[in-house]
Amino acid sequence: MRLSCLLAFLVFWAPPLVADEKVDRLADAMHLSQVMDILVDEAMVQRRELDETLLDNTGGAFFEAQVEDIYDPVWMQERVTEAFERGLTDSQLDQAIVFFESDLGQTIISLENSARRAISDEAIEEMAREAYESTARDSVRYELVDEYIQINNLVEQNVEGSLSADFNFFRGLAYGELSDEGELLAELLSETDSKTEEATTWLYSFLLLAYRPMDEAQMRENIAFSRTDTGQAVNEALFDGFDQMFDSISFRLGEAAAQVLRGSDL
């Protein structure tokens, strides 16, 4: 009798999820593994462009293998989940899980990932850019996308991340022989305005494309979540994780390119 009661208790009472389990559940809800796969696919395209423009097509199988090793999707996802662990409280993890597991949360993630894959095609990116440029700035759709971008500080965060990644790439490319990091940083900072313009155009083009199937109520609910402490914490953790990830990737990518260049000079 006591055993039966104990078994019933174990069946109907489950201990609350620990932090690691909550982080994994949030990562699953946000389809982070799919995001990393998209980034890896983009990296392979960028690898070919880098080989053509910087390495004069001398990278070959060596550079390809290096890039494949650098863009390890498991390692990449760990950088983001570790940022979740650092940046979100236990209750914020609970709230974020509820939002991203909801129908709306899943719709947002699905639309963003689909649009990210689509916009990697130059023709679709150009179409999205033209749609952004022709969208009336006083339209409800544009104003909602603009509000979402402003709340999450997306332009500034992307520019800062891009500058940091570039800085680390050139550090790696110097192969330990960078004489003046201050000069390099100053040169990169001089490109802030052009990077801001580029980031602004890409973000508005991307989000207008991604959120096109959403109605006004859904977009306003997404914005409302972004305004909460949890929404802000998720956004900050994402940028923290991705910035650290791309800084490391960029440095290692610079090192790999330097190895090819040094080899071709021998």
Side-chain angles (χ1 to χ4, degrees), residues 211-253:
Y211 293 164
R212 184 168 55 184
M214 292 170 60
D215 59 33
E216 182 178 342
Q218 289 174 314
M219 293 186 69
R220 291 192 183 282
E221 188 174 346
N222 188 27
I223 290 170
F225 174 75
S226 293
R227 288 187 180 279
T228 65
D229 289 342
T230 295
Q232 290 293 298
V234 170
N235 186 57
E236 290 173 9
L238 282 171
F239 275 106
D240 178 29
F242 276 106
D243 284 349
Q244 291 195 27
M245 179 188 79
F246 279 120
D247 282 350
S248 178
I249 284 175
S250 297
F251 182 80
R252 294 177 62 196
L253 193 60

mmCIF file of all heavy atoms in Angstrom, residues 211-253:
data_model
loop_
_atom_site.group_PDB
_atom_site.id
_atom_site.type_symbol
_atom_site.label_atom_id
_atom_site.label_comp_id
_atom_site.label_asym_id
_atom_site.label_seq_id
_atom_site.Cartn_x
_atom_site.Cartn_y
_atom_site.Cartn_z
ATOM 1 N N TYR A 211 7.975 39.563 -41.267
ATOM 2 C CA TYR A 211 6.727 39.759 -40.533
ATOM 3 C C TYR A 211 5.533 40.074 -41.427
ATOM 4 O O TYR A 211 4.448 40.368 -40.924
ATOM 5 C CB TYR A 211 6.904 40.887 -39.503
ATOM 6 C CG TYR A 211 7.870 40.554 -38.385
ATOM 7 C CD1 TYR A 211 8.385 41.555 -37.564
ATOM 8 C CD2 TYR A 211 8.284 39.244 -38.144
ATOM 9 C CE1 TYR A 211 9.266 41.261 -36.535
ATOM 10 C CE2 TYR A 211 9.168 38.936 -37.126
ATOM 11 C CZ TYR A 211 9.657 39.949 -36.322
ATOM 12 O OH TYR A 211 10.530 39.658 -35.305
ATOM 13 N N ARG A 212 5.735 40.011 -42.722
ATOM 14 C CA ARG A 212 4.643 40.328 -43.646
ATOM 15 C C ARG A 212 3.388 39.481 -43.399
ATOM 16 O O ARG A 212 2.263 39.996 -43.475
ATOM 17 C CB ARG A 212 5.122 40.171 -45.092
ATOM 18 C CG ARG A 212 4.092 40.579 -46.140
ATOM 19 C CD ARG A 212 4.731 40.679 -47.513
ATOM 20 N NE ARG A 212 5.412 39.443 -47.902
ATOM 21 C CZ ARG A 212 6.106 39.276 -49.014
ATOM 22 N NH1 ARG A 212 6.241 40.290 -49.852
ATOM 23 N NH2 ARG A 212 6.668 38.134 -49.293
ATOM 24 N N PRO A 213 3.510 38.167 -43.061
ATOM 25 C CA PRO A 213 2.295 37.365 -42.832
ATOM 26 C C PRO A 213 1.596 37.658 -41.502
ATOM 27 O O PRO A 213 0.474 37.204 -41.279
ATOM 28 C CB PRO A 213 2.817 35.917 -42.850
ATOM 29 C CG PRO A 213 4.144 35.973 -43.514
ATOM 30 C CD PRO A 213 4.706 37.309 -43.124
ATOM 31 N N MET A 214 2.246 38.398 -40.590
ATOM 32 C CA MET A 214 1.661 38.656 -39.280
ATOM 33 C C MET A 214 0.668 39.810 -39.338
ATOM 34 O O MET A 214 0.873 40.773 -40.072
ATOM 35 C CB MET A 214 2.765 38.962 -38.254
ATOM 36 C CG MET A 214 3.645 37.767 -37.931
ATOM 37 S SD MET A 214 5.106 38.217 -36.944
ATOM 38 C CE MET A 214 4.347 38.907 -35.474
ATOM 39 N N ASP A 215 -0.393 39.705 -38.546
ATOM 40 C CA ASP A 215 -1.352 40.809 -38.514
ATOM 41 C C ASP A 215 -0.919 41.819 -37.440
ATOM 42 O O ASP A 215 0.031 41.600 -36.690
ATOM 43 C CB ASP A 215 -2.779 40.314 -38.270
ATOM 44 C CG ASP A 215 -2.947 39.548 -36.956
ATOM 45 O OD1 ASP A 215 -2.240 39.883 -35.973
ATOM 46 O OD2 ASP A 215 -3.777 38.618 -36.907
ATOM 47 N N GLU A 216 -1.631 42.920 -37.384
ATOM 48 C CA GLU A 216 -1.252 44.005 -36.485
ATOM 49 C C GLU A 216 -1.276 43.563 -35.026
ATOM 50 O O GLU A 216 -0.381 43.910 -34.243
ATOM 51 C CB GLU A 216 -2.194 45.196 -36.679
ATOM 52 C CG GLU A 216 -1.850 46.391 -35.814
ATOM 53 C CD GLU A 216 -2.772 47.581 -36.068
ATOM 54 O OE1 GLU A 216 -3.433 47.613 -37.119
ATOM 55 O OE2 GLU A 216 -2.822 48.477 -35.191
ATOM 56 N N ALA A 217 -2.269 42.768 -34.649
ATOM 57 C CA ALA A 217 -2.379 42.321 -33.257
ATOM 58 C C ALA A 217 -1.180 41.457 -32.868
ATOM 59 O O ALA A 217 -0.644 41.593 -31.754
ATOM 60 C CB ALA A 217 -3.682 41.540 -33.059
ATOM 61 N N GLN A 218 -0.755 40.588 -33.761
ATOM 62 C CA GLN A 218 0.399 39.740 -33.474
ATOM 63 C C GLN A 218 1.671 40.572 -33.321
ATOM 64 O O GLN A 218 2.479 40.327 -32.423
ATOM 65 C CB GLN A 218 0.576 38.714 -34.594
ATOM 66 C CG GLN A 218 -0.491 37.630 -34.622
ATOM 67 C CD GLN A 218 -0.335 36.726 -35.835
ATOM 68 O OE1 GLN A 218 -0.149 37.206 -36.959
ATOM 69 N NE2 GLN A 218 -0.402 35.432 -35.614
ATOM 70 N N MET A 219 1.834 41.547 -34.187
ATOM 71 C CA MET A 219 3.025 42.389 -34.109
ATOM 72 C C MET A 219 3.031 43.205 -32.825
ATOM 73 O O MET A 219 4.079 43.386 -32.198
ATOM 74 C CB MET A 219 3.105 43.292 -35.341
ATOM 75 C CG MET A 219 3.342 42.523 -36.631
ATOM 76 S SD MET A 219 3.611 43.590 -38.068
ATOM 77 C CE MET A 219 5.211 44.307 -37.693
ATOM 78 N N ARG A 220 1.864 43.692 -32.430
ATOM 79 C CA ARG A 220 1.795 44.477 -31.192
ATOM 80 C C ARG A 220 2.074 43.593 -29.976
ATOM 81 O O ARG A 220 2.694 44.045 -28.999
ATOM 82 C CB ARG A 220 0.431 45.161 -31.057
ATOM 83 C CG ARG A 220 0.217 46.264 -32.083
ATOM 84 C CD ARG A 220 -0.981 47.119 -31.770
ATOM 85 N NE ARG A 220 -1.210 48.130 -32.784
ATOM 86 C CZ ARG A 220 -0.531 49.273 -32.900
ATOM 87 N NH1 ARG A 220 0.431 49.546 -32.028
ATOM 88 N NH2 ARG A 220 -0.817 50.126 -33.858
ATOM 89 N N GLU A 221 1.641 42.349 -30.016
ATOM 90 C CA GLU A 221 1.923 41.428 -28.908
ATOM 91 C C GLU A 221 3.421 41.131 -28.841
ATOM 92 O O GLU A 221 3.995 41.029 -27.749
ATOM 93 C CB GLU A 221 1.124 40.135 -29.080
ATOM 94 C CG GLU A 221 1.211 39.202 -27.878
ATOM 95 C CD GLU A 221 0.301 37.996 -27.992
ATOM 96 O OE1 GLU A 221 -0.598 38.002 -28.864
ATOM 97 O OE2 GLU A 221 0.502 37.038 -27.217
ATOM 98 N N ASN A 222 4.053 40.993 -29.989
ATOM 99 C CA ASN A 222 5.499 40.767 -30.022
ATOM 100 C C ASN A 222 6.241 41.976 -29.440
ATOM 101 O O ASN A 222 7.195 41.827 -28.667
ATOM 102 C CB ASN A 222 5.947 40.519 -31.464
ATOM 103 C CG ASN A 222 7.395 40.096 -31.567
ATOM 104 O OD1 ASN A 222 7.965 39.509 -30.648
ATOM 105 N ND2 ASN A 222 8.013 40.386 -32.702
ATOM 106 N N ILE A 223 5.797 43.155 -29.805
ATOM 107 C CA ILE A 223 6.400 44.383 -29.277
ATOM 108 C C ILE A 223 6.183 44.474 -27.772
ATOM 109 O O ILE A 223 7.094 44.864 -27.017
ATOM 110 C CB ILE A 223 5.805 45.611 -29.992
ATOM 111 C CG1 ILE A 223 6.295 45.666 -31.443
ATOM 112 C CG2 ILE A 223 6.164 46.903 -29.255
ATOM 113 C CD1 ILE A 223 5.596 46.698 -32.292
ATOM 114 N N ALA A 224 4.987 44.106 -27.318
ATOM 115 C CA ALA A 224 4.690 44.159 -25.884
ATOM 116 C C ALA A 224 5.629 43.246 -25.103
ATOM 117 O O ALA A 224 6.118 43.622 -24.024
ATOM 118 C CB ALA A 224 3.233 43.764 -25.637
ATOM 119 N N PHE A 225 5.904 42.062 -25.629
ATOM 120 C CA PHE A 225 6.849 41.160 -24.957
ATOM 121 C C PHE A 225 8.239 41.773 -24.939
ATOM 122 O O PHE A 225 8.955 41.696 -23.935
ATOM 123 C CB PHE A 225 6.880 39.793 -25.643
ATOM 124 C CG PHE A 225 7.940 38.874 -25.082
ATOM 125 C CD1 PHE A 225 7.762 38.271 -23.843
ATOM 126 C CD2 PHE A 225 9.112 38.635 -25.782
ATOM 127 C CE1 PHE A 225 8.741 37.443 -23.309
ATOM 128 C CE2 PHE A 225 10.093 37.803 -25.255
ATOM 129 C CZ PHE A 225 9.909 37.199 -24.011
ATOM 130 N N SER A 226 8.635 42.401 -26.038
ATOM 131 C CA SER A 226 9.965 43.012 -26.107
ATOM 132 C C SER A 226 10.132 44.118 -25.079
ATOM 133 O O SER A 226 11.249 44.398 -24.643
ATOM 134 C CB SER A 226 10.211 43.577 -27.512
ATOM 135 O OG SER A 226 10.289 42.549 -28.473
ATOM 136 N N ARG A 227 9.042 44.763 -24.684
ATOM 137 C CA ARG A 227 9.105 45.854 -23.710
ATOM 138 C C ARG A 227 9.277 45.342 -22.279
ATOM 139 O O ARG A 227 9.674 46.108 -21.392
ATOM 140 C CB ARG A 227 7.839 46.710 -23.781
ATOM 141 C CG ARG A 227 7.745 47.578 -25.028
ATOM 142 C CD ARG A 227 6.559 48.521 -24.928
ATOM 143 N NE ARG A 227 6.435 49.374 -26.111
ATOM 144 C CZ ARG A 227 7.135 50.480 -26.323
ATOM 145 N NH1 ARG A 227 8.023 50.866 -25.413
ATOM 146 N NH2 ARG A 227 6.967 51.187 -27.419
ATOM 147 N N THR A 228 8.958 44.081 -22.029
ATOM 148 C CA THR A 228 9.055 43.547 -20.671
ATOM 149 C C THR A 228 10.511 43.355 -20.269
ATOM 150 O O THR A 228 11.410 43.299 -21.113
ATOM 151 C CB THR A 228 8.324 42.197 -20.568
ATOM 152 O OG1 THR A 228 9.002 41.221 -21.397
ATOM 153 C CG2 THR A 228 6.869 42.325 -21.011
ATOM 154 N N ASP A 229 10.737 43.235 -18.962
ATOM 155 C CA ASP A 229 12.087 42.960 -18.473
ATOM 156 C C ASP A 229 12.615 41.659 -19.063
ATOM 157 O O ASP A 229 13.802 41.561 -19.405
ATOM 158 C CB ASP A 229 12.084 42.877 -16.947
ATOM 159 C CG ASP A 229 11.866 44.231 -16.283
ATOM 160 O OD1 ASP A 229 12.061 45.258 -16.968
ATOM 161 O OD2 ASP A 229 11.499 44.255 -15.093
ATOM 162 N N THR A 230 11.739 40.669 -19.197
ATOM 163 C CA THR A 230 12.158 39.390 -19.767
ATOM 164 C C THR A 230 12.525 39.536 -21.236
ATOM 165 O O THR A 230 13.549 39.008 -21.681
ATOM 166 C CB THR A 230 11.035 38.342 -19.619
ATOM 167 O OG1 THR A 230 10.822 38.077 -18.224
ATOM 168 C CG2 THR A 230 11.401 37.039 -20.323
ATOM 169 N N GLY A 231 11.709 40.256 -21.980
ATOM 170 C CA GLY A 231 12.007 40.466 -23.394
ATOM 171 C C GLY A 231 13.328 41.175 -23.587
ATOM 172 O O GLY A 231 14.134 40.824 -24.461
ATOM 173 N N GLN A 232 13.595 42.180 -22.754
ATOM 174 C CA GLN A 232 14.862 42.900 -22.833
ATOM 175 C C GLN A 232 16.041 42.007 -22.437
ATOM 176 O O GLN A 232 17.113 42.067 -23.049
ATOM 177 C CB GLN A 232 14.816 44.132 -21.931
ATOM 178 C CG GLN A 232 13.884 45.229 -22.430
ATOM 179 C CD GLN A 232 14.377 45.858 -23.722
ATOM 180 O OE1 GLN A 232 15.452 46.453 -23.761
ATOM 181 N NE2 GLN A 232 13.602 45.733 -24.787
ATOM 182 N N ALA A 233 15.828 41.171 -21.428
ATOM 183 C CA ALA A 233 16.891 40.265 -20.985
ATOM 184 C C ALA A 233 17.217 39.240 -22.058
ATOM 185 O O ALA A 233 18.385 38.908 -22.289
ATOM 186 C CB ALA A 233 16.478 39.563 -19.687
ATOM 187 N N VAL A 234 16.200 38.722 -22.736
ATOM 188 C CA VAL A 234 16.422 37.767 -23.822
ATOM 189 C C VAL A 234 17.203 38.441 -24.947
ATOM 190 O O VAL A 234 18.163 37.875 -25.487
ATOM 191 C CB VAL A 234 15.083 37.212 -24.351
ATOM 192 C CG1 VAL A 234 15.304 36.421 -25.646
ATOM 193 C CG2 VAL A 234 14.422 36.324 -23.306
ATOM 194 N N ASN A 235 16.800 39.646 -25.302
ATOM 195 C CA ASN A 235 17.470 40.374 -26.376
ATOM 196 C C ASN A 235 18.940 40.633 -26.039
ATOM 197 O O ASN A 235 19.831 40.410 -26.869
ATOM 198 C CB ASN A 235 16.750 41.708 -26.615
ATOM 199 C CG ASN A 235 17.286 42.459 -27.812
ATOM 200 O OD1 ASN A 235 17.307 41.956 -28.930
ATOM 201 N ND2 ASN A 235 17.723 43.685 -27.582
ATOM 202 N N GLU A 236 19.193 41.072 -24.815
ATOM 203 C CA GLU A 236 20.567 41.352 -24.400
ATOM 204 C C GLU A 236 21.402 40.076 -24.357
ATOM 205 O O GLU A 236 22.576 40.078 -24.749
ATOM 206 C CB GLU A 236 20.563 42.029 -23.026
ATOM 207 C CG GLU A 236 20.012 43.456 -23.064
ATOM 208 C CD GLU A 236 19.862 44.057 -21.674
ATOM 209 O OE1 GLU A 236 20.352 43.422 -20.713
ATOM 210 O OE2 GLU A 236 19.268 45.139 -21.551
ATOM 211 N N ALA A 237 20.802 38.985 -23.890
ATOM 212 C CA ALA A 237 21.528 37.712 -23.830
ATOM 213 C C ALA A 237 21.853 37.210 -25.232
ATOM 214 O O ALA A 237 22.941 36.667 -25.471
ATOM 215 C CB ALA A 237 20.707 36.671 -23.069
ATOM 216 N N LEU A 238 20.931 37.378 -26.160
ATOM 217 C CA LEU A 238 21.183 36.952 -27.537
ATOM 218 C C LEU A 238 22.364 37.714 -28.132
ATOM 219 O O LEU A 238 23.262 37.120 -28.738
ATOM 220 C CB LEU A 238 19.936 37.164 -28.395
ATOM 221 C CG LEU A 238 18.814 36.134 -28.250
ATOM 222 C CD1 LEU A 238 17.561 36.595 -28.984
ATOM 223 C CD2 LEU A 238 19.259 34.766 -28.795
ATOM 224 N N PHE A 239 22.366 39.021 -27.962
ATOM 225 C CA PHE A 239 23.482 39.801 -28.498
ATOM 226 C C PHE A 239 24.789 39.460 -27.785
ATOM 227 O O PHE A 239 25.855 39.389 -28.421
ATOM 228 C CB PHE A 239 23.190 41.299 -28.399
ATOM 229 C CG PHE A 239 22.391 41.814 -29.564
ATOM 230 C CD1 PHE A 239 21.053 42.141 -29.428
ATOM 231 C CD2 PHE A 239 22.982 41.956 -30.816
ATOM 232 C CE1 PHE A 239 20.314 42.610 -30.506
ATOM 233 C CE2 PHE A 239 22.252 42.425 -31.903
ATOM 234 C CZ PHE A 239 20.919 42.746 -31.746
ATOM 235 N N ASP A 240 24.729 39.237 -26.491
ATOM 236 C CA ASP A 240 25.920 38.858 -25.738
ATOM 237 C C ASP A 240 26.490 37.553 -26.288
ATOM 238 O O ASP A 240 27.689 37.445 -26.583
ATOM 239 C CB ASP A 240 25.551 38.701 -24.255
ATOM 240 C CG ASP A 240 26.739 38.259 -23.409
ATOM 241 O OD1 ASP A 240 27.883 38.587 -23.770
ATOM 242 O OD2 ASP A 240 26.517 37.595 -22.380
ATOM 243 N N GLY A 241 25.621 36.552 -26.444
ATOM 244 C CA GLY A 241 26.070 35.256 -26.934
ATOM 245 C C GLY A 241 26.571 35.302 -28.366
ATOM 246 O O GLY A 241 27.639 34.749 -28.681
ATOM 247 N N PHE A 242 25.822 35.964 -29.234
ATOM 248 C CA PHE A 242 26.225 36.035 -30.640
ATOM 249 C C PHE A 242 27.480 36.880 -30.819
ATOM 250 O O PHE A 242 28.330 36.555 -31.654
ATOM 251 C CB PHE A 242 25.084 36.593 -31.493
ATOM 252 C CG PHE A 242 24.084 35.556 -31.900
ATOM 253 C CD1 PHE A 242 22.830 35.494 -31.313
ATOM 254 C CD2 PHE A 242 24.393 34.612 -32.874
ATOM 255 C CE1 PHE A 242 21.910 34.522 -31.674
ATOM 256 C CE2 PHE A 242 23.485 33.645 -33.256
ATOM 257 C CZ PHE A 242 22.236 33.597 -32.648
ATOM 258 N N ASP A 243 27.617 37.955 -30.046
ATOM 259 C CA ASP A 243 28.823 38.783 -30.164
ATOM 260 C C ASP A 243 30.060 37.986 -29.768
ATOM 261 O O ASP A 243 31.096 38.045 -30.452
ATOM 262 C CB ASP A 243 28.702 40.037 -29.296
ATOM 263 C CG ASP A 243 27.774 41.084 -29.903
ATOM 264 O OD1 ASP A 243 27.390 40.925 -31.081
ATOM 265 O OD2 ASP A 243 27.423 42.053 -29.204
ATOM 266 N N GLN A 244 29.981 37.272 -28.665
ATOM 267 C CA GLN A 244 31.123 36.461 -28.248
ATOM 268 C C GLN A 244 31.423 35.372 -29.278
ATOM 269 O O GLN A 244 32.583 35.098 -29.582
ATOM 270 C CB GLN A 244 30.861 35.836 -26.876
ATOM 271 C CG GLN A 244 30.847 36.842 -25.743
ATOM 272 C CD GLN A 244 30.953 36.192 -24.380
ATOM 273 O OE1 GLN A 244 31.511 35.105 -24.244
ATOM 274 N NE2 GLN A 244 30.426 36.846 -23.360
ATOM 275 N N MET A 245 30.367 34.781 -29.798
ATOM 276 C CA MET A 245 30.532 33.727 -30.796
ATOM 277 C C MET A 245 31.215 34.274 -32.051
ATOM 278 O O MET A 245 32.200 33.710 -32.533
ATOM 279 C CB MET A 245 29.162 33.149 -31.156
ATOM 280 C CG MET A 245 29.182 32.051 -32.208
ATOM 281 S SD MET A 245 27.500 31.627 -32.705
ATOM 282 C CE MET A 245 27.116 32.974 -33.823
ATOM 283 N N PHE A 246 30.724 35.392 -32.572
ATOM 284 C CA PHE A 246 31.277 35.937 -33.815
ATOM 285 C C PHE A 246 32.659 36.541 -33.611
ATOM 286 O O PHE A 246 33.480 36.522 -34.528
ATOM 287 C CB PHE A 246 30.318 36.960 -34.419
ATOM 288 C CG PHE A 246 29.191 36.347 -35.197
ATOM 289 C CD1 PHE A 246 27.876 36.562 -34.831
ATOM 290 C CD2 PHE A 246 29.444 35.536 -36.296
ATOM 291 C CE1 PHE A 246 26.825 35.989 -35.543
ATOM 292 C CE2 PHE A 246 28.415 34.955 -37.022
ATOM 293 C CZ PHE A 246 27.106 35.178 -36.639
ATOM 294 N N ASP A 247 32.939 37.079 -32.425
ATOM 295 C CA ASP A 247 34.286 37.582 -32.164
ATOM 296 C C ASP A 247 35.298 36.443 -32.256
ATOM 297 O O ASP A 247 36.371 36.588 -32.865
ATOM 298 C CB ASP A 247 34.359 38.230 -30.775
ATOM 299 C CG ASP A 247 33.766 39.629 -30.751
ATOM 300 O OD1 ASP A 247 33.473 40.169 -31.839
ATOM 301 O OD2 ASP A 247 33.583 40.175 -29.642
ATOM 302 N N SER A 248 34.965 35.325 -31.639
ATOM 303 C CA SER A 248 35.866 34.168 -31.676
ATOM 304 C C SER A 248 35.987 33.605 -33.082
ATOM 305 O O SER A 248 37.088 33.311 -33.564
ATOM 306 C CB SER A 248 35.363 33.089 -30.716
ATOM 307 O OG SER A 248 36.189 31.940 -30.758
ATOM 308 N N ILE A 249 34.856 33.469 -33.762
ATOM 309 C CA ILE A 249 34.856 32.951 -35.133
ATOM 310 C C ILE A 249 35.679 33.854 -36.039
ATOM 311 O O ILE A 249 36.489 33.374 -36.843
ATOM 312 C CB ILE A 249 33.408 32.830 -35.655
ATOM 313 C CG1 ILE A 249 32.722 31.602 -35.037
ATOM 314 C CG2 ILE A 249 33.375 32.738 -37.183
ATOM 315 C CD1 ILE A 249 31.256 31.470 -35.393
ATOM 316 N N SER A 250 35.483 35.148 -35.919
ATOM 317 C CA SER A 250 36.182 36.100 -36.795
ATOM 318 C C SER A 250 37.683 36.050 -36.580
ATOM 319 O O SER A 250 38.462 36.103 -37.544
ATOM 320 C CB SER A 250 35.654 37.517 -36.554
ATOM 321 O OG SER A 250 34.286 37.611 -36.878
ATOM 322 N N PHE A 251 38.098 35.957 -35.327
ATOM 323 C CA PHE A 251 39.537 35.876 -35.041
ATOM 324 C C PHE A 251 40.132 34.611 -35.657
ATOM 325 O O PHE A 251 41.182 34.667 -36.320
ATOM 326 C CB PHE A 251 39.767 35.895 -33.535
ATOM 327 C CG PHE A 251 41.222 35.857 -33.153
ATOM 328 C CD1 PHE A 251 41.993 37.014 -33.193
ATOM 329 C CD2 PHE A 251 41.826 34.668 -32.774
ATOM 330 C CE1 PHE A 251 43.341 36.983 -32.853
ATOM 331 C CE2 PHE A 251 43.170 34.631 -32.430
ATOM 332 C CZ PHE A 251 43.929 35.789 -32.472
ATOM 333 N N ARG A 252 39.463 33.484 -35.461
ATOM 334 C CA ARG A 252 39.967 32.219 -36.000
ATOM 335 C C ARG A 252 39.926 32.218 -37.529
ATOM 336 O O ARG A 252 40.804 31.655 -38.182
ATOM 337 C CB ARG A 252 39.158 31.051 -35.449
ATOM 338 C CG ARG A 252 39.312 30.839 -33.948
ATOM 339 C CD ARG A 252 38.436 29.712 -33.464
ATOM 340 N NE ARG A 252 38.804 28.451 -34.098
ATOM 341 C CZ ARG A 252 38.013 27.381 -34.096
ATOM 342 N NH1 ARG A 252 36.802 27.431 -33.528
ATOM 343 N NH2 ARG A 252 38.411 26.261 -34.680
ATOM 344 N N LEU A 253 38.919 32.870 -38.095
ATOM 345 C CA LEU A 253 38.827 32.969 -39.548
ATOM 346 C C LEU A 253 39.977 33.807 -40.096
ATOM 347 O O LEU A 253 40.569 33.468 -41.140
ATOM 348 C CB LEU A 253 37.479 33.587 -39.935
ATOM 349 C CG LEU A 253 37.042 33.501 -41.396
ATOM 350 C CD1 LEU A 253 36.922 32.043 -41.830
ATOM 351 C CD2 LEU A 253 35.699 34.206 -41.579
#
